[in-house]
Amino acid sequence: MMRLAVVVVLAGLCAFPVYGQKKKKRSQYFTKQSYQYPLFKWTGEYSRHGFQFNFGPTYLLTNGETPERDLSTSPDTNATYTHNPSGRLGGFIEVGMVHIAKKRRKVIHYFDWGIGYKHFAGTEQTRLMIHRFGETNEVKGNGVFDMGYLYGRFNVHNVWQINRDVFLDNALGFNVDYRLTGSVPGDNSRYDGAVLPQTQRFQQDFVAQLNYELGVGFKIRDGFFIIPSVHTPILGIYEWTGGNPSLMWYSSRYQPLLLKVKFVWLFKKKNNACPPVYGNPDDEKRNQQYMNGQ
């Protein structure tokens, strides 16, 4: 799970743009690459602020079956066990806002935030081998669970323009989640067959994490973008377990993965705004440079 998060982050960091000398054209857009392809114009008809809505499936990744472990038993009995976790499909939905940087920046081009609800689900299979008086008996158990979280998040984004209508979108952020629905910690009523409460640990209701997101954006028209992306936590802050971002349930860990489709609508500028008044040509030139992020 941690390996996957590291791979996703490294892949995204490799996509971050490298900036060279400053471009002298008056028109400035989201990124240094391909200025002739406007993703957003500070002097255009759209505001820097807008509405965002995203949704998609969720899934819990696992490391697969755990190594066989010994279980303390009576002197004449020896037992070993393994746990085999797996994820199930869930879903999420979110609404929020997008805010583009006031001026052209080298790293952070926009940030967004949202509130939403996400649902995770998974299973765990237990295999217990009991060795007694030269005989071995195998007992199996299977548990299912689900967790529903109300959450809020904040992310900062770096955009790398590929061409007129396509761009890479990297984001680092912070999310806080609170479990509202789903399975109850310590409740094994949904565990059929063999269950080992002594090996179990359940996630607390409150979760705080750092997250990473990598997407490919498409400019449908001026002021409207669609950004499919992959989102996963990369550092667990609360509850602290050495920074591991995965969730604990039953006797296993589960790495959340969100497959997102985000829609962004920028607001149009007000038409009744008073035009600026300049005292001299130098004032007008300085204002234009500011609006273009120079």
Side-chain angles (χ1 to χ4, degrees):
M1 294 175 285
M2 285 292 292
R3 289 194 299 268
L4 174 68
V6 171
V7 169
V8 172
V9 172
L10 291 177
L13 292 178
C14 290
F16 270 67
V18 177
Y19 291 83
Q21 61 182 3
K22 188 174 181 181
K23 195 76 172 178
K24 294 183 179 179
K25 289 185 178 181
R26 296 180 63 185
S27 299
Q28 294 292 335
Y29 309 117
F30 247 169
T31 62
K32 186 69 178 175
Q33 289 77 13
S34 304
Y35 281 114
Q36 68 271 29
Y37 303 135
L39 185 62
F40 173 79
K41 298 180 185 178
W42 277 268
T43 56
E45 62 178 315
Y46 287 93
S47 164
R48 296 185 296 106
H49 310 287
F51 173 76
Q52 65 93 5
F53 167 77
N54 62 86
F55 69 97
T58 66
Y59 193 76
L60 294 176
L61 302 174
T62 69
N63 283 332
E65 188 172 274
T66 61
E68 190 174 82
R69 295 169 179 158
D70 293 326
L71 183 68
S72 299
T73 55
S74 61
D76 58 351
T77 303
N78 178 40
T80 59
Y81 68 91
T82 60
H83 296 301
N84 188 12
S86 60
R88 294 187 294 145
L89 281 176
F92 82 98
I93 188 169
E94 175 191 306
V95 295
M97 297 284 291
V98 170
H99 308 278
I100 295 172
K102 190 173 183 179
K103 297 175 67 176
R104 178 177 60 86
R105 304 294 182 185
K106 289 186 177 181
V107 178
I108 298 176
H109 298 119
Y110 78 95
F111 63 90
D112 67 349
W113 57 268
I115 56 174
Y117 177 83
K118 55 188 175 185
H119 180 267
F120 298 120
T123 66
E124 180 189 81
Q125 183 182 76
T126 295
R127 180 172 174 264
L128 180 62
M129 305 293 292
I130 303 174
H131 314 282
R132 187 177 185 184
F133 303 126
E135 295 184 356
T136 299
N137 294 318
E138 181 181 276
V139 183
K140 292 184 178 182
N142 189 73
V144 297
F145 69 92
D146 62 277
M147 299 178 285
Y149 288 93
L150 177 68
Y151 74 91
R153 68 158 188 88
F154 175 87
N155 286 75
V156 294
H157 295 254
N158 173 278
V159 174
W160 185 19
Q161 187 100 15
I162 297 174
N163 59 34
R164 184 185 302 275
D165 300 318
V166 182
F167 57 94
L168 291 181
D169 191 324
N170 293 268
L172 290 173
F174 177 79
N175 62 277
V176 291
D177 311 341
Y178 187 79
R179 187 169 64 245
L180 292 179
T181 62
S183 302
V184 178
D187 181 9
N188 287 314
S189 62
R190 300 177 68 185
Y191 216 113
D192 298 326
V195 59
L196 300 175
Q198 60 269 46
T199 67
Q200 292 181 342
R201 185 175 179 183
F202 296 86
Q203 191 76 35
Q204 296 185 20
D205 289 342
F206 180 76
V207 176
Q209 300 163 318
L210 295 181
N211 61 70
Y212 175 72
E213 186 174 307
L214 176 62
V216 179
F218 301 91
K219 177 185 175 183
I220 306 304
R221 57 173 172 78
D222 285 347
F224 177 49
F225 313 103
I226 297 178
I227 310 172
S229 62
V230 178
H231 175 108
T232 190
I234 57 174
L235 180 68
I237 300 174
Y238 189 84
E239 63 189 273
W240 180 260
T241 56
N244 195 318
S246 59
L247 303 176
M248 300 170 292
W249 207 262
Y250 293 139
S251 303
S252 304
R253 285 187 170 274
Y254 302 83
Q255 174 73 21
L257 184 71
L258 283 69
L259 302 178
K260 307 174 65 172
V261 180
K262 179 164 65 179
F263 300 86
V264 177
W265 295 269
L266 297 179
F267 302 136
K268 281 200 171 185
K269 292 179 179 178
K270 294 181 179 180
N271 293 325
N272 59 354
C274 295
V277 178
Y278 307 109
N280 56 64
D282 290 338
D283 291 340
E284 182 177 1
K285 181 179 179 180
R286 282 193 293 269
N287 181 76
Q288 188 66 33
Q289 289 175 341
Y290 171 80
M291 293 295 292
N292 288 330
Q294 294 180 345

